[in-house]
Amino acid sequence: MANHAYVIGIDFGTDSVRSIVVDVKDGKDLASKVVNFRRWKEGKYCDPSKNQFRQHPLDYIEALEQSVNATLASLPEGSGEHVIGIGVDTTGSTPAPVDREGTVLALRDEFKDNPNAMFILWKDHTAVNEAEEINEVARSCGGTDFTKYEGGVYSSEWFWAKILHVLRTDREVGKAAYSWVEHADWVPAILTGNTDPLLLQRNRCAAGHKAMWHREWGGLPPEEFLVKVDPLLKGLRAQLYTDTVTSDKKAGVLTSEWAERLGLKEGTAVSVGAFDAHMGAVGTEVKEKSFVMILGTSACDMAVAPYEIVADKLVGGICGQVDGSIIPGMIGLEAGQSGFGDVYAWFKNILSWPLESLPAENTLIDSEQADALRAEIEGRIIDRLSEEASKLDIDKSLIALDWLNGRRTPYADQKLKGAVAGITLGTTAAKLFRALVESTAYGARAIVERFTEEGIDIEEVVASGGIPKKSPFVMQVLSDVLNMPVKVAESEQAPSLGAAMFAAVAAGAYDSVYEAQKRMGSGFTTTFTPDPLKAKKYDELYRRYKEIGKLLEEQLRQ
Amino acid sequence: MANHAYVIGIDFGTDSVRSIVVDVKDGKDLASKVVNFRRWKEGKYCDPSKNQFRQHPLDYIEALEQSVNATLASLPEGSGEHVIGIGVDTTGSTPAPVDREGTVLALRDEFKDNPNAMFILWKDHTAVNEAEEINEVARSCGGTDFTKYEGGVYSSEWFWAKILHVLRTDREVGKAAYSWVEHADWVPAILTGNTDPLLLQRNRCAAGHKAMWHREWGGLPPEEFLVKVDPLLKGLRAQLYTDTVTSDKKAGVLTSEWAERLGLKEGTAVSVGAFDAHMGAVGTEVKEKSFVMILGTSACDMAVAPYEIVADKLVGGICGQVDGSIIPGMIGLEAGQSGFGDVYAWFKNILSWPLESLPAENTLIDSEQADALRAEIEGRIIDRLSEEASKLDIDKSLIALDWLNGRRTPYADQKLKGAVAGITLGTTAAKLFRALVESTAYGARAIVERFTEEGIDIEEVVASGGIPKKSPFVMQVLSDVLNMPVKVAESEQAPSLGAAMFAAVAAGAYDSVYEAQKRMGSGFTTTFTPDPLKAKKYDELYRRYKEIGKLLEEQLRQ
C-alpha cells in the first residue's frame, strides 16, 4: 500500500451529499464537505401533501462535483494524487427512468422539469396502491412468494412499486423509459462511464432488498409475475439485470472526464455502490449480534448473521435478508422505521406554529428582530424538550404510536398513521415529547423482537447518524426500552466512512471488508446502559404500545 | 309590580362571581360586575397534578359583597331600593363540610388552611375511587339502583363521592363535619341567616342530580345503602335533608346585616339556589325539544321534557332526570362534557410552551418586551387556529377523543383520557386543533343521541356561555356534526339572567318561570345551520369516533 493512500467516501443523503477523504491505513478522516441539493432545497418537484418527493439528477451531479472539489481543496495541494479509490452510497430505494443509453430522462430537454422523469426518493409514498397490488399478487399467485426475502411485505418505498406508479400515471415517461436505475448504481455508472442499462453494475444491496432479486428464482421475479401485477411491466425485466455485485468489487475506474472534474487520477477504482444504511453499518463496524441503528429523519436498522444461523429461515416483516448486502459472505438483514427524527421534528414544527406569524404580525418588534427571535426560539425547542422530558417520570398513561410516516418494519404498511393515547388536561409539551420518543423506541423494540423471535440474537445496539450524539435523552430511553446497551458510534459520518472502506477493498488495499473495518473503524464514544427499574416499567408499556397498535391498526389505515 | 322593580342575579362561576341588576319588566341588563376569587387566583388549596380543586368560603363571601356593591355603584344612587329579589346560582356539585351551626369548617380557625374543610369544586376529581365504589354497591346491592335517575353512573364530581373521599382522607375534618352543604344552598342560607343544616333550604337541582335524592325512596338513599358503601357514612343521612325545593321558591329574606353589606333593603326576597347550568338554561329560554349547551371550560347540557314524554323512562348515562330541576313542572335533564373549552385551552398551552422561556432566556430583547410579546402571541393563538382550521377540508384520517378531562356523559367515566388518532408528518397545528374541535362536537352528538334514543326529541341547540360568541368556527362545526341548527343566545350572562328570573318569580313579580322567561328573555343572535355535505361526512367520522372510543376505552382508563 502506498504511504499516503487515500480513499474518498461519498454519501448521498436526503438533503445533501457528503464527501470525505480518509486515510487508508487508519481510517482517519482528513477532510469532509457537505453540499446541499440546490433544487431540492427550493422544494422543487415535491408535493408533501401527496407524499411526492423527487430529486433532479443535476442536483446529484452538481453537489457531487462541488463537494469532492471542496473536500480536496481543504487538503494540501496534490492530495488528489493519493486517492486510490472512491466508494459511493445513496438513499434508496431511489430509482429513476433511463433511456437506452442510460441517460436519466430528466436530463433530456423534453423531460427536464417532469418529476416522473427524476429519481423517486426513498420517502416518496405515491405508490401505496401499487405496493398493495404487488403484495396481493405475491400472495395469491400460487407459486413462490417473491417478497419472501424482503420480509414478506412489499413497500411503496421500493423499486417496482415506484416504477409501476410512474408507468401508470405518466405515459410519456413510460414510453421513453428503456430501463430504470437506482441512484446507488447510477453514480458509479457515470463516474466509470458505463451507463448502458444492460451492462452497468447493479449492486446486490438494492437488488436484493428492494427489487425482489434472488438467486432462488434466477434474479428478478419472472416476467409472468410482473405482468400479472400489471401488463404495463411487460418486457421491462429483460431491460434491467440478472446479475448483481457486492460493494467490495470495482464498478470500474474513473473516466478521464470525471478525473478532471474531480481533480483525481484517471483510472482510480470506483467500487460498487450500496445504500447509505448498509454502508453506514459497515462504517460503524457491524458484526454478528449487534443491531446497527442509523438514526436520522428515519431509522435504518442493520444486522448481519452467518449463513448457518439464518439457514432457510425467513425473517418476516423486515426489509429483507440478502446474501452480501452488508458484508460479503454474510446474510445482511435490513429493517427500519419510516419516521424517527422526523417524528420529533414534526412535534417541533407543531410547537413552532405560533412563531410563524411573529415576523409579519407582531406589533412590538421589527421584522428583522422577529426573524432572529423566531430562529432562536425554534432552534432551542428540541434541546429544551429533551431536557424537560428527561426529568419526567415515566407516564404510564400516555402512549404514542410512532407511525406518523407509515410503518416500514415490522410488516411494512405505509398507510398506517400515528396516534397518541392517554392525553389529559395535565399533559404537557414535554410529556408529549417524551411519549413520542418512547414510541420510536417501542418501534425499535418491535423490530428487535422480530429478529430474536427468529433466533437471530441481538445483544447490543450500535447507534449512529445525526441523532445519537445530539440526544443522549433519546439514547437513554432507547436503552431502557430495549433493555440493552446502546453504543454510540464515534464517527458522525458512518455511511461515508463505510463507503471509503469499500473503496479501499475495491482498490485492493485490503483483502476483505472485515480487515478494512478493523483498520479503518473509529470506534465508539458513549455507551448507554439500561436502568433496570425503568426497563421493567417499559416492558409493561411496550406491551400496551403493541396492544394499542393492534386495536387501532384498521382505523389508522383510513 | 313597582314601576322600577329590579332583581339581582348572582352567578358563581369557576373563577369569579358575576352580579347583574336586571329590570323585572323586560329583563334589561342594567349593570353587571365580575369579581375574581382572590385565593383561587393565587392557586391556593389546589393541586392540579392530583386533580384537587378547592375553594375557600371567604373567596365566595368577599367576591359576592364586592360584586354586588360594584354593580349597584354603577347605577344611579338609590337603585338598591328598587331591588325586590335576589337569585343565586353556583357551580356544582360543590359541597363543603359544615358544623352543627352550618359554619363551613374552613371558616373556623383550626381549619382555615385545610383544603378538605373547603368547598370541593365541581372539577375536583380526587374521588374517582369513591365514585367507582358507589357504582359497584349501587349495582350489586340487589334492590333499587339509586343512581338510576342520575344516568345510572355516579360521578367522582358529585356530592357523596366527594364527601366520602374527605371522610376517608381527613379524620379531623370528618369528625368536625356535622353535615355538608352545596355552594348553591349555602349562599342563600347565609344571605337569609338560615344556616342550620337541618333547616336550611336544599335545592331540588343539586339534590336530584348529584345526591341521588328522589321521591321514589323518600329523599336521599337509605342509610343501609350508604353504610354499605362505607360505614364512615353512618349517621350522615339524618344530618342532611329529606325535602327539597325548586328555585322559584323563596329561601327566605335578606338579613339586616346582609342588607347593609350589599346596600339593599332588609327583607328582600332570596330565591332558592340552583346550579349555574340549570339557571343558564332558564336564562336562555329553554323549552321542550331544545338542547341548551352552556359552553365554557366544560359543557353543561340541559333539556326539559314534559312528564308524559319521560313517563317512567330512564335515560341512561346522563347526569340525571329530576322533576323541576330546571323548570318547575317539567323533568329537567342534565348532561355534559367534562372538557370543552378546556380542550382547546390545553392545546393552546401546548403551543405556548416555546414562549415560556422567552422572557428569561432570549438574547435579543429585554424581558419586559419579551413578556409583552409572549402575551401578544399567546393571546392570538386560539383566534388564529380557528381561522386557519375553518379553511381546512375535513380530514378523514384524523380523529380525536375529547375525554382529556374524563367523560361526564354519556356514561360518566372520569378515568378516561383523550387521544388523537391518524397523525401524519403532514398534520399541522391547525389540523390538530380542528380535530380537537370536532372531537368536542362528537362528544356533544353522543349525548344528543342518548336523548333521542330514549324518545326525547331534540330539534335545535341553544348555545350560551363564553365560547359561542367568541368562536363561530366551533359553532359551525357543532352544527355540521349534529346536523341541526345552533342558535346562539344573545345574553352572555345566561346563568345570572336565569337567577334573576327566579328571583323575580320568588319575589312574586311573575306567576311562573315561563312567564318570567317570556318577559325577561333576551333572545338570540346568530343561528348556525348545518352544511349538508359536511354533515354527511361527519356522519361517517362520528361513527369512527365512536368506534375508536370503543376500541381504546379500556386502554384509556389506565
Side-chain angles (χ1 to χ4, degrees):
Chain A
M1 191 194 323
N3 217 352
H4 287 291
Y6 301 157
V7 277
I8 297 183
I10 300 173
D11 167 42
F12 285 88
T14 295
D15 301 322
S16 59
V17 64
R18 173 191 294 277
S19 300
I20 63 169
V21 175
V22 161
D23 196 321
V24 170
K25 72 173 181 302
D26 57 8
K28 198 174 163 224
D29 166 9
L30 303 170
S32 126
K33 281 284 184 246
V34 173
V35 174
N36 285 323
F37 302 140
R38 185 165 61 83
R39 296 160 191 81
W40 169 258
K41 216 181 164 186
E42 291 167 9
K44 279 189 172 169
Y45 316 122
C46 295
D47 183 346
S49 74
K50 288 197 260 170
N51 280 311
Q52 177 189 300
F53 298 100
R54 309 293 164 89
Q55 291 187 327
H56 200 288
L58 285 178
D59 262 356
Y60 297 157
I61 293 176
E62 290 165 9
L64 163 68
E65 191 171 350
Q66 287 164 27
S67 83
V68 171
N69 280 312
T71 311
L72 288 170
S74 69
L75 291 173
E77 212 174 303
S79 292
E81 294 293 310
H82 298 288
V83 173
I84 62 167
I86 298 176
V88 176
D89 69 84
T90 71
T91 68
S93 173
T94 301
V98 295
D99 61 18
R100 181 63 193 88
E101 282 69 48
T103 303
V104 175
L105 296 186
L107 293 176
R108 285 169 37 172
D109 233 31
E110 68 268 41
F111 292 118
K112 71 179 173 20
D113 288 319
N114 183 342
N116 297 318
M118 302 176 185
F119 285 93
I120 306 173
L121 196 66
W122 64 274
K123 71 173 177 175
D124 183 292
H125 287 168
T126 48
V128 170
N129 294 331
E130 286 77 9
E132 216 165 76
E133 291 168 42
I134 291 170
N135 283 312
E136 269 164 36
V137 177
R139 270 167 224 142
S140 66
C141 69
T144 309
D145 179 349
F146 299 106
T147 68
K148 70 180 182 180
Y149 295 109
E150 295 186 352
V153 186
Y154 204 77
S155 159
S156 65
E157 292 184 356
W158 299 348
F159 193 70
W160 289 107
K162 287 175 165 175
I163 292 174
L164 182 54
H165 183 73
V166 169
L167 295 183
R168 283 179 178 174
T169 50
D170 195 325
R171 293 292 158 123
E172 289 307 305
V173 167
K175 262 184 5 210
Y178 175 81
S179 187
W180 291 74
V181 179
E182 280 282 354
H183 183 192
D185 291 328
W186 184 70
V187 178
I190 57 163
L191 292 179
T192 60
N194 175 18
T195 58
D196 183 328
L198 300 179
L199 302 175
L200 70 88
Q201 304 276 20
R202 306 285 189 152
N203 76 82
R204 174 74 52 80
C205 170
H209 283 290
K210 312 296 180 194
M212 296 186 273
W213 181 94
H214 200 276
R215 281 205 193 86
E216 187 183 317
W217 43 82
L220 295 169
E223 180 81 1
E224 312 86 81
F225 170 78
L226 297 169
V227 171
K228 201 173 277 173
V229 171
D230 194 315
L232 279 171
L233 292 172
K234 191 165 151 50
L236 180 56
R237 184 180 190 273
Q239 288 157 209
L240 287 161
Y241 52 89
T242 307
D243 293 325
T244 62
V245 195
T246 54
S247 306
D248 53 338
K249 299 292 183 295
K250 254 201 261 194
V253 297
L254 207 56
T255 63
S256 59
E257 186 211 331
W258 272 103
E260 193 172 321
R261 284 170 79 168
L262 302 180
L264 298 171
K265 283 182 303 189
E266 194 181 336
T268 302
V270 178
S271 56
V272 168
F275 290 149
D276 45 6
H278 297 69
M279 289 203 168
V282 170
T284 50
E285 300 163 60
V286 65
K287 60 179 187 196
E288 209 189 327
K289 298 188 184 177
S290 73
F291 183 72
V292 175
M293 296 184 75
I294 301 168
L295 300 172
T297 53
S298 66
C300 291
D301 309 324
M302 300 286 136
V304 292
Y307 295 152
E308 61 273 20
I309 293 279
V310 180
D312 50 6
K313 270 175 212 152
L314 288 170
V315 185
I318 65 167
C319 307
Q321 51 191 88
V322 177
D323 177 11
S325 68
I326 299 174
I327 291 186
M330 291 188 100
I331 302 293
L333 299 134
E334 186 196 340
Q337 293 166 264
S338 302
F340 201 91
D342 264 353
V343 173
Y344 317 150
W346 168 79
F347 190 56
K348 180 192 149 182
N349 284 342
I350 293 290
L351 294 184
S352 301
W353 180 88
L355 304 167
E356 269 174 31
S357 65
L358 180 63
E361 282 186 18
N362 96 85
T363 61
L364 297 157
I365 54 178
D366 64 41
S367 77
E368 201 175 312
Q369 226 178 0
D371 276 329
L373 196 64
R374 179 185 166 184
E376 186 179 69
I377 300 171
E378 287 185 10
R380 273 202 307 246
I381 287 179
I382 294 275
D383 282 349
R384 283 191 54 229
L385 281 173
S386 301
E387 195 193 322
E388 269 194 41
S390 69
K391 292 176 193 151
L392 293 171
D393 290 335
I394 294 173
D395 184 331
K396 290 193 148 191
S397 297
L398 193 65
I399 294 181
L401 300 177
D402 56 319
W403 307 328
L404 279 76
N405 198 25
R407 185 177 63 200
R408 192 179 300 157
T409 64
Y411 301 102
D413 192 339
Q414 292 309 143
K415 287 193 169 176
L416 287 175
K417 294 167 199 73
V420 183
I423 304 167
T424 71
L425 294 181
T427 301
T428 61
K431 283 186 181 179
L432 280 176
F433 181 69
R434 183 167 182 116
L436 290 171
V437 169
E438 289 167 345
S439 78
T440 54
Y442 299 145
R445 179 160 167 177
I447 297 168
V448 169
E449 288 195 348
R450 210 57 288 286
F451 284 88
T452 53
E453 280 161 11
E454 300 288 355
I456 296 164
D457 281 355
I458 301 290
E459 289 174 353
E460 61 169 23
V461 167
V462 169
S464 72
I467 290 178
K469 284 196 176 174
K470 267 196 310 214
S471 187
F473 166 64
V474 173
M475 293 303 100
Q476 187 58 55
V477 170
L478 191 62
S479 173
D480 292 340
V481 167
L482 290 170
N483 200 11
M484 55 176 73
V486 174
K487 284 158 68 176
V488 175
E490 169 65 46
S491 173
E492 286 182 50
Q493 36 219 39
S496 45
L497 179 58
M501 290 174 180
F502 279 111
V505 179
Y510 295 112
D511 286 339
S512 72
V513 174
Y514 286 121
E515 209 189 320
Q517 279 185 309
K518 217 169 106 186
R519 300 286 196 87
M520 296 171 72
S522 41
F524 305 94
T525 54
T526 331
T527 295
F528 293 85
T529 53
D531 172 328
L533 282 176
K534 287 188 175 158
K536 206 165 155 242
K537 282 187 192 170
Y538 278 132
D539 272 347
E540 163 65 15
L541 290 179
Y542 170 68
R543 266 201 304 280
R544 293 191 51 216
Y545 161 87
K546 287 214 295 189
E547 175 68 17
I548 291 171
K550 218 165 69 186
L551 290 169
L552 284 186
E553 249 192 44
E554 193 47 45
Q555 289 289 338
L556 295 178
R557 276 194 199 99
Q558 297 184 33
Chain B
M1 192 194 320
N3 218 351
H4 288 288
Y6 301 157
V7 279
I8 296 183
I10 300 173
D11 166 43
F12 285 87
T14 296
D15 301 322
S16 59
V17 65
R18 173 191 295 277
S19 301
I20 63 169
V21 176
V22 161
D23 196 321
V24 170
K25 73 173 179 299
D26 56 9
K28 199 177 162 218
D29 165 10
L30 302 169
S32 127
K33 280 284 184 245
V34 173
V35 174
N36 285 324
F37 303 140
R38 185 166 61 84
R39 296 160 191 81
W40 169 257
K41 218 184 163 182
E42 291 166 9
K44 278 189 173 169
Y45 316 120
C46 295
D47 183 346
S49 75
K50 288 198 259 168
N51 279 312
Q52 178 189 299
F53 298 99
R54 309 294 165 90
Q55 292 188 325
H56 200 288
L58 285 177
D59 263 355
Y60 298 156
I61 294 176
E62 290 165 9
L64 164 69
E65 190 170 351
Q66 286 164 28
S67 82
V68 172
N69 280 311
T71 310
L72 287 170
S74 69
L75 290 173
E77 214 174 302
S79 292
E81 294 293 310
H82 299 287
V83 173
I84 61 169
I86 298 177
V88 175
D89 69 84
T90 71
T91 69
S93 172
T94 301
V98 294
D99 62 17
R100 181 63 191 88
E101 282 69 47
T103 303
V104 176
L105 296 184
L107 293 175
R108 286 168 39 171
D109 232 31
E110 66 269 42
F111 293 117
K112 71 180 170 30
D113 287 318
N114 184 342
N116 297 318
M118 302 177 186
F119 286 93
I120 306 173
L121 196 64
W122 64 276
K123 71 173 178 176
D124 183 292
H125 288 168
T126 48
V128 171
N129 293 331
E130 286 77 8
E132 215 165 76
E133 291 169 43
I134 291 170
N135 282 313
E136 269 165 35
V137 177
R139 269 166 224 142
S140 66
C141 68
T144 308
D145 178 351
F146 299 106
T147 69
K148 70 179 181 181
Y149 295 109
E150 295 186 352
V153 185
Y154 204 77
S155 160
S156 64
E157 291 183 356
W158 299 348
F159 192 72
W160 289 107
K162 287 175 167 175
I163 291 174
L164 182 54
H165 183 74
V166 169
L167 295 182
R168 283 179 178 174
T169 49
D170 195 325
R171 294 293 159 123
E172 288 307 306
V173 167
K175 264 189 356 216
Y178 175 79
S179 186
W180 291 75
V181 179
E182 281 282 353
H183 183 193
D185 291 328
W186 183 70
V187 178
I190 57 164
L191 292 178
T192 60
N194 174 20
T195 59
D196 184 327
L198 299 179
L199 301 175
L200 71 88
Q201 304 276 23
R202 307 285 190 151
N203 75 83
R204 173 73 53 81
C205 170
H209 284 290
K210 313 295 182 192
M212 297 184 274
W213 181 94
H214 200 275
R215 282 206 192 87
E216 186 184 317
W217 43 83
L220 294 169
E223 180 81 2
E224 313 88 79
F225 170 78
L226 297 169
V227 171
K228 200 171 278 173
V229 171
D230 194 315
L232 279 171
L233 293 171
K234 191 166 151 50
L236 180 55
R237 184 180 189 274
Q239 287 157 210
L240 286 160
Y241 53 90
T242 306
D243 294 323
T244 62
V245 196
T246 52
S247 306
D248 53 338
K249 300 290 183 295
K250 253 200 264 195
V253 298
L254 209 55
T255 63
S256 61
E257 185 210 333
W258 273 103
E260 194 172 322
R261 283 171 79 169
L262 301 181
L264 298 170
K265 285 182 299 189
E266 193 181 338
T268 301
V270 177
S271 56
V272 169
F275 291 149
D276 44 6
H278 297 69
M279 288 203 167
V282 170
T284 50
E285 300 163 60
V286 65
K287 60 178 188 199
E288 207 190 329
K289 298 189 183 175
S290 72
F291 183 72
V292 175
M293 298 184 74
I294 300 168
L295 300 173
T297 52
S298 66
C300 291
D301 309 323
M302 301 286 137
V304 293
Y307 295 151
E308 60 274 20
I309 293 279
V310 180
D312 48 7
K313 269 174 214 154
L314 288 170
V315 185
I318 66 167
C319 307
Q321 52 192 87
V322 177
D323 178 11
S325 67
I326 299 174
I327 292 185
M330 291 187 99
I331 303 293
L333 299 135
E334 186 195 341
Q337 292 166 264
S338 302
F340 201 92
D342 264 354
V343 173
Y344 318 149
W346 168 79
F347 190 56
K348 180 193 149 180
N349 285 342
I350 294 289
L351 293 185
S352 301
W353 180 88
L355 303 168
E356 269 173 28
S357 65
L358 180 63
E361 281 186 20
N362 96 86
T363 60
L364 296 157
I365 54 178
D366 65 41
S367 78
E368 200 176 312
Q369 225 178 0
D371 276 331
L373 196 63
R374 179 184 167 186
E376 186 179 67
I377 300 172
E378 287 185 9
R380 271 203 307 245
I381 287 179
I382 294 273
D383 282 348
R384 281 192 55 228
L385 282 173
S386 302
E387 196 194 321
E388 270 194 41
S390 69
K391 292 178 194 150
L392 293 172
D393 289 335
I394 294 172
D395 184 331
K396 289 193 148 190
S397 297
L398 193 66
I399 294 180
L401 300 177
D402 56 320
W403 307 329
L404 279 76
N405 197 26
R407 185 178 62 201
R408 192 181 298 157
T409 64
Y411 301 102
D413 191 339
Q414 293 310 144
K415 287 194 171 175
L416 287 174
K417 293 167 199 75
V420 183
I423 304 167
T424 70
L425 295 181
T427 301
T428 60
K431 283 186 182 180
L432 281 174
F433 181 69
R434 183 168 182 116
L436 291 169
V437 169
E438 288 167 346
S439 79
T440 55
Y442 299 145
R445 179 160 166 176
I447 297 167
V448 169
E449 288 195 350
R450 213 51 293 284
F451 283 85
T452 53
E453 280 161 12
E454 300 289 355
I456 296 163
D457 281 353
I458 302 290
E459 289 173 353
E460 60 169 25
V461 167
V462 169
S464 72
I467 289 179
K469 284 197 178 174
K470 264 196 312 212
S471 186
F473 166 63
V474 173
M475 292 303 101
Q476 187 58 55
V477 170
L478 190 62
S479 173
D480 292 339
V481 167
L482 291 169
N483 199 11
M484 56 175 73
V486 174
K487 284 158 67 176
V488 174
E490 168 66 46
S491 173
E492 287 183 49
Q493 34 219 38
S496 45
L497 179 58
M501 290 174 180
F502 280 111
V505 179
Y510 295 111
D511 287 339
S512 72
V513 174
Y514 286 120
E515 209 189 320
Q517 279 185 309
K518 218 169 104 186
R519 299 286 197 89
M520 296 172 74
S522 40
F524 306 93
T525 54
T526 330
T527 295
F528 292 85
T529 53
D531 171 330
L533 282 176
K534 287 187 175 159
K536 209 168 154 239
K537 283 186 191 169
Y538 279 134
D539 272 347
E540 162 64 15
L541 289 178
Y542 170 68
R543 267 200 303 280
R544 295 191 51 215
Y545 161 87
K546 287 214 292 189
E547 175 67 19
I548 290 171
K550 218 165 69 185
L551 289 169
L552 283 186
E553 248 193 46
E554 192 49 46
Q555 288 289 338
L556 294 178
R557 277 194 197 99
Q558 298 184 36

